[in-house]
């Protein structure tokens, strides 16, 4: 079988792309990962271990997808400040609550810190950007990280 162009791994739906700025250094990266872990929502009534397990798995996926993208071209890490925006691709329409989305994405922020993109996930280093929802056949999350 022929691999898709831009695929970051053997698994479908895990891709990463970078926008290049001055001197070939990336100004932003775009990571495509699976859906956000529902067990990490503030409204979830799951056992604490379910939230831990799902959060840990999502953090690892974001970490390794970001490291793969950053390994393709050299860049100076850590970035001093980043803005994170999300595109949620879901099968059905519906409203989204930004507070719940960002609480479900917290393990993803930890994955970006683990990947070395930024030193910490506090407000001094990270700005939470827009959340956009798209209707799609495949449920996935697109993470857009811009260097500021």
């Amino acid at each position: 079988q022929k691999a898709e162009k831009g695929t970051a791994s053997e698994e479908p739906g895990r891709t990463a792309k970078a926008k290049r700025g001055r001197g070939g250094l990336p100004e932003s990266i775009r990571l495509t990962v699976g859906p956000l872990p529902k067990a990490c929502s503030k409204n979830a009534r799951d056992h604490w271990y379910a939230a831990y397990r799902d959060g840990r798995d999502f953090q690892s996926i974001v970490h390794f997808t970001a490291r793969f993208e950053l390994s393709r071209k050299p860049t100076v890490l850590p970035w001093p400040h980043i803005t994170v925006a999300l595109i949620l691709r879901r099968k059905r329409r519906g409203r989204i609550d930004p507070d719940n989305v960002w609480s479900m994405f917290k393990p993803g922020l930890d994955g970006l810190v683990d990947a070395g993109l930024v030193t910490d996930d506090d407000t001094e280093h990270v700005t939470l950007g827009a959340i956009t929802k798209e209707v799609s056949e495949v449920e996935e999350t697109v993470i857009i990280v811009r260097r500021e």
Side-chain angles (χ1 to χ4, degrees):
Q1 289 180 332
K2 193 174 183 181
E4 282 186 303
K5 184 179 179 183
T7 302
S9 69
E10 296 291 326
E11 294 180 292
R14 305 268 196 277
T15 59
K17 296 179 182 174
K19 181 179 178 183
R20 304 285 168 204
R22 294 183 192 145
L25 296 177
E27 289 182 358
S28 68
I29 59 173
R30 184 180 180 109
L31 310 170
T32 303
V33 296
L36 295 173
K38 291 185 179 13
C40 294
S41 170
K42 290 190 281 187
N43 294 334
R45 301 292 180 246
D46 294 338
H47 192 272
W48 67 267
Y49 187 75
Y52 168 76
R53 180 194 59 227
D54 294 351
R56 179 194 60 205
D57 293 346
F58 189 73
Q59 178 179 349
S60 295
I61 289 168
V62 171
H63 167 87
F64 289 114
T65 305
R67 288 306 304 167
F68 174 79
E69 176 57 34
L70 293 170
S71 70
R72 298 173 76 193
K73 290 271 182 161
T75 185
V76 178
L77 291 178
W79 291 349
H81 186 84
I82 61 173
T83 299
V84 180
L86 299 177
I87 300 173
L88 305 176
R89 294 187 177 146
R90 301 293 177 257
K91 292 183 180 179
R92 60 187 179 91
R93 299 181 194 273
R95 296 183 308 183
I96 55 173
D97 181 4
D99 291 334
N100 286 340
V101 171
W102 288 118
S103 69
M104 288 188 290
F105 185 69
K106 176 64 173 126
L109 281 176
D110 294 336
L112 294 175
V113 171
D114 290 346
L117 269 172
V118 69
T119 56
D120 198 4
D121 59 356
D122 60 3
T123 56
E124 183 180 330
H125 297 94
V126 178
T127 301
L128 304 178
I131 301 171
T132 308
K133 184 171 182 180
E134 296 177 355
V135 177
S136 172
E137 291 296 317
V138 179
E139 292 204 3
E140 60 189 8
T141 304
V142 179
I143 307 163
I144 301 166
V145 183
R146 282 193 334 262
R147 177 174 53 184
E148 301 293 326

